[in-house]
Amino acid sequence: MLSILAVFFDSFIPNWHTKMEKIDYNVLILVTQGHVQYILDGKEITAEKGDILFIPASTVREGKNHESGLHQKYTVVFTLQDNGIPNNTFPIDQKFHHIKTRSLEYMKHRFERLYFDIRGDKTHRDFICLGILQELIGLFARELESPSITPIKVKYAKIIERFLLENYRKPIEIDQLAKLIHRSPGYTISVFKEVIGQSPIKYIHQLRVMEACNLLINTDMTVVAISEYLGYYDTSYFSRMFKKLTAMSPKEFMMVGHQVEVSMLFT
């Protein structure tokens, strides 16, 4: 049984340091900016932006700011109790794990959601927060099982992803993306899908539809205006793509959007 003890967000804290001690809880960490230094059972570990760490109970741990500067990270502290019954469902081996996530923005959003939801006295807070932690652990375990991806592929995918994030409202061709990394169109599609989990074209549509969700909820723009703003000059095509990705039409989403966790529509 999982039990959340605390969720922290450390944001560029001067002189940040955790003393050396043997911990009696598990720790799940996502680094979102900078570098952070740990000593775990006598071994030095440096984590950087996009890294997720799982530190199991009984680890002798010490942490501090990296010499390169301050950092930003989310930390979830939790226990795993079996109440005397062997627990075979926890998907992570009880040892230290350190990976670079292929879904940084989504992981960041879920850690952030957990951080905010665990505060305050909201209805069903504990149940919801436990579900988010289980999701994070499951996603982490899934990435652990995936074949390792070479650093150069990650670099290529991030170059393409950054370009798409900055230009998703514009017409984009695969040849244009291939030129960014000086590789063939076929390789470009393959490496992006391997690292990010979907093709560049689907990723563009997802970015557009996510922004459409925001505009439908928070502005008085019409569906036609949003379609044109996002680069869809055929409103019917925009509506079909919106429904394909969210299972709702834009008009249906307008009626229920405030009650929906938008990011969950795209998992």
Side-chain angles (χ1 to χ4, degrees):
M1 177 180 177
L2 290 171
S3 180
I4 301 174
L5 302 182
V7 182
F8 303 104
F9 178 52
D10 300 324
S11 185
F12 307 119
I13 301 174
N15 303 314
W16 178 85
H17 179 258
T18 59
K19 66 179 181 180
M20 182 175 290
E21 62 178 347
K22 185 175 183 179
I23 58 176
D24 58 3
Y25 46 78
N26 303 287
V27 184
L28 190 66
I29 299 165
L30 172 67
V31 182
T32 57
Q33 292 290 339
H35 296 72
V36 59
Q37 192 83 34
Y38 286 100
I39 300 176
L40 305 174
D41 291 333
K43 183 179 179 180
E44 286 195 5
I45 302 293
T46 299
E48 63 180 13
K49 179 181 179 179
D51 287 0
I52 301 181
L53 292 78
F54 172 71
I55 305 175
S58 299
T59 300
V60 177
R61 179 205 62 181
E62 180 181 9
K64 60 182 179 180
N65 282 326
H66 190 263
E67 61 182 11
S68 62
L70 308 182
H71 69 275
Q72 195 177 61
K73 70 179 183 299
Y74 289 94
T75 303
V76 184
V77 178
F78 65 97
T79 57
L80 179 65
Q81 301 172 344
D82 58 22
N83 296 323
I85 302 174
N87 189 326
N88 297 318
T89 61
F90 191 70
I92 303 174
D93 292 337
Q94 293 292 291
K95 62 183 182 181
F96 172 68
H97 293 285
H98 178 191
I99 66 170
K100 183 172 292 295
T101 179
R102 285 175 280 171
S103 306
L104 175 57
E105 290 306 315
Y106 183 74
M107 286 289 199
K108 181 180 176 181
H109 171 79
R110 301 310 288 155
F111 272 90
E112 181 182 43
R113 185 74 270 155
L114 179 57
Y115 174 75
F116 283 110
D117 275 5
I118 206 163
R119 284 155 176 77
D121 188 23
K122 299 177 182 178
T123 306
H124 308 306
R125 179 195 66 181
D126 293 343
F127 191 80
I128 291 170
C129 289
L130 184 59
I132 296 174
L133 176 58
Q134 288 176 322
E135 178 192 7
L136 288 170
I137 291 171
L139 291 171
F140 180 65
R142 180 180 291 171
E143 292 204 30
L144 279 173
E145 294 173 357
S146 300
S148 60
I149 298 176
T150 60
I152 190 62
K153 287 185 176 181
V154 174
K155 178 182 178 180
Y156 287 156
K158 293 304 179 183
I159 290 172
I160 298 166
E161 183 180 34
R162 189 180 309 115
F163 180 84
L164 296 180
L165 286 168
E166 294 173 353
N167 298 279
Y168 66 91
R169 291 171 49 209
K170 303 175 183 177
I172 296 174
E173 301 291 338
I174 295 299
D175 286 347
Q176 187 179 5
L177 301 179
K179 289 179 181 178
L180 293 174
I181 59 173
H182 307 290
R183 293 293 185 271
S184 70
Y187 180 87
T188 299
I189 295 171
S190 176
V191 76
F192 189 85
K193 191 169 185 178
E194 183 179 357
V195 176
I196 304 300
Q198 55 189 307
S199 70
I201 297 302
K202 184 176 180 181
Y203 189 75
I204 292 168
H205 287 305
Q206 181 171 304
L207 290 174
R208 290 177 175 180
V209 171
M210 289 181 73
E211 179 62 10
C213 290
N214 172 53
L215 296 173
L216 287 166
I217 295 173
N218 298 308
T219 75
D220 58 1
M221 292 176 68
T222 66
V223 173
V224 172
I226 291 172
S227 173
E228 293 179 352
Y229 174 77
L230 293 173
Y232 294 108
Y233 299 109
D234 181 343
T235 305
S236 62
Y237 178 69
F238 162 68
S239 296
R240 290 197 302 273
M241 188 58 62
F242 190 97
K243 189 165 187 176
K244 181 178 180 180
L245 293 179
T246 68
M248 288 180 277
S249 70
K251 290 184 179 180
E252 289 171 337
F253 181 82
M254 288 175 70
M255 293 186 290
V256 301
H258 287 287
Q259 306 169 34
V260 175
E261 179 69 65
V262 172
S263 63
M264 294 300 291
L265 296 172
F266 301 92
T267 60

PDB file of all heavy atoms in Angstrom, residues 154-168:
ATOM      1  N   VAL A 154      18.214  11.310 -28.699  1.00  0.00           N
ATOM      2  CA  VAL A 154      17.502  12.226 -27.803  1.00  0.00           C
ATOM      3  C   VAL A 154      17.773  13.667 -28.229  1.00  0.00           C
ATOM      4  O   VAL A 154      16.861  14.500 -28.269  1.00  0.00           O
ATOM      5  CB  VAL A 154      17.931  12.003 -26.336  1.00  0.00           C
ATOM      6  CG1 VAL A 154      17.304  13.063 -25.432  1.00  0.00           C
ATOM      7  CG2 VAL A 154      17.526  10.615 -25.868  1.00  0.00           C
ATOM      8  N   LYS A 155      19.009  13.963 -28.571  1.00  0.00           N
ATOM      9  CA  LYS A 155      19.373  15.311 -29.002  1.00  0.00           C
ATOM     10  C   LYS A 155      18.602  15.711 -30.259  1.00  0.00           C
ATOM     11  O   LYS A 155      18.031  16.802 -30.341  1.00  0.00           O
ATOM     12  CB  LYS A 155      20.879  15.390 -29.269  1.00  0.00           C
ATOM     13  CG  LYS A 155      21.345  16.757 -29.774  1.00  0.00           C
ATOM     14  CD  LYS A 155      22.837  16.754 -30.067  1.00  0.00           C
ATOM     15  CE  LYS A 155      23.291  18.097 -30.620  1.00  0.00           C
ATOM     16  NZ  LYS A 155      24.755  18.099 -30.915  1.00  0.00           N
ATOM     17  N   TYR A 156      18.563  14.818 -31.249  1.00  0.00           N
ATOM     18  CA  TYR A 156      17.832  15.099 -32.483  1.00  0.00           C
ATOM     19  C   TYR A 156      16.349  15.348 -32.201  1.00  0.00           C
ATOM     20  O   TYR A 156      15.748  16.292 -32.726  1.00  0.00           O
ATOM     21  CB  TYR A 156      17.966  13.931 -33.457  1.00  0.00           C
ATOM     22  CG  TYR A 156      19.321  13.797 -34.119  1.00  0.00           C
ATOM     23  CD1 TYR A 156      19.747  12.569 -34.619  1.00  0.00           C
ATOM     24  CD2 TYR A 156      20.171  14.888 -34.253  1.00  0.00           C
ATOM     25  CE1 TYR A 156      20.982  12.430 -35.241  1.00  0.00           C
ATOM     26  CE2 TYR A 156      21.408  14.758 -34.863  1.00  0.00           C
ATOM     27  CZ  TYR A 156      21.813  13.522 -35.353  1.00  0.00           C
ATOM     28  OH  TYR A 156      23.039  13.388 -35.954  1.00  0.00           O
ATOM     29  N   ALA A 157      15.765  14.463 -31.389  1.00  0.00           N
ATOM     30  CA  ALA A 157      14.333  14.581 -31.095  1.00  0.00           C
ATOM     31  C   ALA A 157      14.025  15.887 -30.373  1.00  0.00           C
ATOM     32  O   ALA A 157      12.997  16.521 -30.631  1.00  0.00           O
ATOM     33  CB  ALA A 157      13.864  13.390 -30.261  1.00  0.00           C
ATOM     34  N   LYS A 158      14.922  16.309 -29.483  1.00  0.00           N
ATOM     35  CA  LYS A 158      14.687  17.544 -28.734  1.00  0.00           C
ATOM     36  C   LYS A 158      14.814  18.776 -29.636  1.00  0.00           C
ATOM     37  O   LYS A 158      14.107  19.773 -29.440  1.00  0.00           O
ATOM     38  CB  LYS A 158      15.659  17.641 -27.556  1.00  0.00           C
ATOM     39  CG  LYS A 158      15.422  16.589 -26.473  1.00  0.00           C
ATOM     40  CD  LYS A 158      14.003  16.646 -25.943  1.00  0.00           C
ATOM     41  CE  LYS A 158      13.748  15.594 -24.893  1.00  0.00           C
ATOM     42  NZ  LYS A 158      12.326  15.604 -24.424  1.00  0.00           N
ATOM     43  N   ILE A 159      15.721  18.718 -30.614  1.00  0.00           N
ATOM     44  CA  ILE A 159      15.836  19.823 -31.582  1.00  0.00           C
ATOM     45  C   ILE A 159      14.525  19.968 -32.356  1.00  0.00           C
ATOM     46  O   ILE A 159      13.997  21.078 -32.529  1.00  0.00           O
ATOM     47  CB  ILE A 159      17.011  19.572 -32.549  1.00  0.00           C
ATOM     48  CG1 ILE A 159      18.353  19.711 -31.810  1.00  0.00           C
ATOM     49  CG2 ILE A 159      16.950  20.536 -33.734  1.00  0.00           C
ATOM     50  CD1 ILE A 159      19.548  19.287 -32.635  1.00  0.00           C
ATOM     51  N   ILE A 160      14.005  18.838 -32.808  1.00  0.00           N
ATOM     52  CA  ILE A 160      12.742  18.855 -33.555  1.00  0.00           C
ATOM     53  C   ILE A 160      11.597  19.302 -32.658  1.00  0.00           C
ATOM     54  O   ILE A 160      10.769  20.131 -33.057  1.00  0.00           O
ATOM     55  CB  ILE A 160      12.451  17.459 -34.141  1.00  0.00           C
ATOM     56  CG1 ILE A 160      13.553  17.061 -35.123  1.00  0.00           C
ATOM     57  CG2 ILE A 160      11.085  17.441 -34.825  1.00  0.00           C
ATOM     58  CD1 ILE A 160      13.530  15.590 -35.494  1.00  0.00           C
ATOM     59  N   GLU A 161      11.546  18.766 -31.442  1.00  0.00           N
ATOM     60  CA  GLU A 161      10.458  19.111 -30.522  1.00  0.00           C
ATOM     61  C   GLU A 161      10.454  20.603 -30.217  1.00  0.00           C
ATOM     62  O   GLU A 161       9.394  21.241 -30.188  1.00  0.00           O
ATOM     63  CB  GLU A 161      10.590  18.310 -29.225  1.00  0.00           C
ATOM     64  CG  GLU A 161       9.446  18.565 -28.252  1.00  0.00           C
ATOM     65  CD  GLU A 161       9.584  17.775 -26.962  1.00  0.00           C
ATOM     66  OE1 GLU A 161      10.743  17.572 -26.509  1.00  0.00           O
ATOM     67  OE2 GLU A 161       8.564  17.354 -26.405  1.00  0.00           O
ATOM     68  N   ARG A 162      11.626  21.175 -29.977  1.00  0.00           N
ATOM     69  CA  ARG A 162      11.714  22.603 -29.684  1.00  0.00           C
ATOM     70  C   ARG A 162      11.199  23.432 -30.858  1.00  0.00           C
ATOM     71  O   ARG A 162      10.467  24.413 -30.681  1.00  0.00           O
ATOM     72  CB  ARG A 162      13.158  22.983 -29.366  1.00  0.00           C
ATOM     73  CG  ARG A 162      13.325  24.420 -28.844  1.00  0.00           C
ATOM     74  CD  ARG A 162      14.771  24.750 -28.553  1.00  0.00           C
ATOM     75  NE  ARG A 162      15.393  23.757 -27.708  1.00  0.00           N
ATOM     76  CZ  ARG A 162      16.383  22.967 -28.085  1.00  0.00           C
ATOM     77  NH1 ARG A 162      16.881  23.044 -29.306  1.00  0.00           N
ATOM     78  NH2 ARG A 162      16.906  22.074 -27.253  1.00  0.00           N
ATOM     79  N   PHE A 163      11.555  23.012 -32.071  1.00  0.00           N
ATOM     80  CA  PHE A 163      11.087  23.710 -33.262  1.00  0.00           C
ATOM     81  C   PHE A 163       9.567  23.628 -33.384  1.00  0.00           C
ATOM     82  O   PHE A 163       8.901  24.624 -33.699  1.00  0.00           O
ATOM     83  CB  PHE A 163      11.747  23.114 -34.509  1.00  0.00           C
ATOM     84  CG  PHE A 163      11.326  23.773 -35.794  1.00  0.00           C
ATOM     85  CD1 PHE A 163      11.945  24.938 -36.226  1.00  0.00           C
ATOM     86  CD2 PHE A 163      10.305  23.237 -36.572  1.00  0.00           C
ATOM     87  CE1 PHE A 163      11.555  25.556 -37.409  1.00  0.00           C
ATOM     88  CE2 PHE A 163       9.901  23.847 -37.753  1.00  0.00           C
ATOM     89  CZ  PHE A 163      10.528  25.013 -38.169  1.00  0.00           C
ATOM     90  N   LEU A 164       9.008  22.460 -33.112  1.00  0.00           N
ATOM     91  CA  LEU A 164       7.554  22.283 -33.207  1.00  0.00           C
ATOM     92  C   LEU A 164       6.826  23.105 -32.149  1.00  0.00           C
ATOM     93  O   LEU A 164       5.775  23.693 -32.423  1.00  0.00           O
ATOM     94  CB  LEU A 164       7.191  20.800 -33.065  1.00  0.00           C
ATOM     95  CG  LEU A 164       7.711  19.871 -34.164  1.00  0.00           C
ATOM     96  CD1 LEU A 164       7.283  18.439 -33.892  1.00  0.00           C
ATOM     97  CD2 LEU A 164       7.251  20.319 -35.536  1.00  0.00           C
ATOM     98  N   LEU A 165       7.377  23.152 -30.954  1.00  0.00           N
ATOM     99  CA  LEU A 165       6.749  23.936 -29.887  1.00  0.00           C
ATOM    100  C   LEU A 165       6.709  25.428 -30.250  1.00  0.00           C
ATOM    101  O   LEU A 165       5.774  26.128 -29.873  1.00  0.00           O
ATOM    102  CB  LEU A 165       7.514  23.744 -28.578  1.00  0.00           C
ATOM    103  CG  LEU A 165       7.312  22.393 -27.877  1.00  0.00           C
ATOM    104  CD1 LEU A 165       8.344  22.212 -26.776  1.00  0.00           C
ATOM    105  CD2 LEU A 165       5.901  22.289 -27.297  1.00  0.00           C
ATOM    106  N   GLU A 166       7.706  25.881 -30.984  1.00  0.00           N
ATOM    107  CA  GLU A 166       7.785  27.300 -31.339  1.00  0.00           C
ATOM    108  C   GLU A 166       7.020  27.640 -32.618  1.00  0.00           C
ATOM    109  O   GLU A 166       6.703  28.810 -32.854  1.00  0.00           O
ATOM    110  CB  GLU A 166       9.255  27.698 -31.505  1.00  0.00           C
ATOM    111  CG  GLU A 166      10.060  27.630 -30.208  1.00  0.00           C
ATOM    112  CD  GLU A 166      11.543  27.867 -30.419  1.00  0.00           C
ATOM    113  OE1 GLU A 166      11.970  27.948 -31.608  1.00  0.00           O
ATOM    114  OE2 GLU A 166      12.287  27.958 -29.428  1.00  0.00           O
ATOM    115  N   ASN A 167       6.706  26.615 -33.430  1.00  0.00           N
ATOM    116  CA  ASN A 167       6.148  26.892 -34.754  1.00  0.00           C
ATOM    117  C   ASN A 167       4.905  26.075 -35.092  1.00  0.00           C
ATOM    118  O   ASN A 167       4.527  26.002 -36.266  1.00  0.00           O
ATOM    119  CB  ASN A 167       7.221  26.620 -35.820  1.00  0.00           C
ATOM    120  CG  ASN A 167       8.436  27.512 -35.677  1.00  0.00           C
ATOM    121  OD1 ASN A 167       8.422  28.661 -36.109  1.00  0.00           O
ATOM    122  ND2 ASN A 167       9.484  26.991 -35.062  1.00  0.00           N
ATOM    123  N   TYR A 168       4.261  25.479 -34.095  1.00  0.00           N
ATOM    124  CA  TYR A 168       3.185  24.528 -34.400  1.00  0.00           C
ATOM    125  C   TYR A 168       1.983  25.151 -35.110  1.00  0.00           C
ATOM    126  O   TYR A 168       1.194  24.440 -35.733  1.00  0.00           O
ATOM    127  CB  TYR A 168       2.721  23.820 -33.120  1.00  0.00           C
ATOM    128  CG  TYR A 168       2.045  24.706 -32.097  1.00  0.00           C
ATOM    129  CD1 TYR A 168       0.670  24.894 -32.108  1.00  0.00           C
ATOM    130  CD2 TYR A 168       2.795  25.347 -31.112  1.00  0.00           C
ATOM    131  CE1 TYR A 168       0.060  25.710 -31.172  1.00  0.00           C
ATOM    132  CE2 TYR A 168       2.183  26.156 -30.177  1.00  0.00           C
ATOM    133  CZ  TYR A 168       0.818  26.331 -30.204  1.00  0.00           C
ATOM    134  OH  TYR A 168       0.206  27.138 -29.269  1.00  0.00           O
TER     135      TYR A 168
END
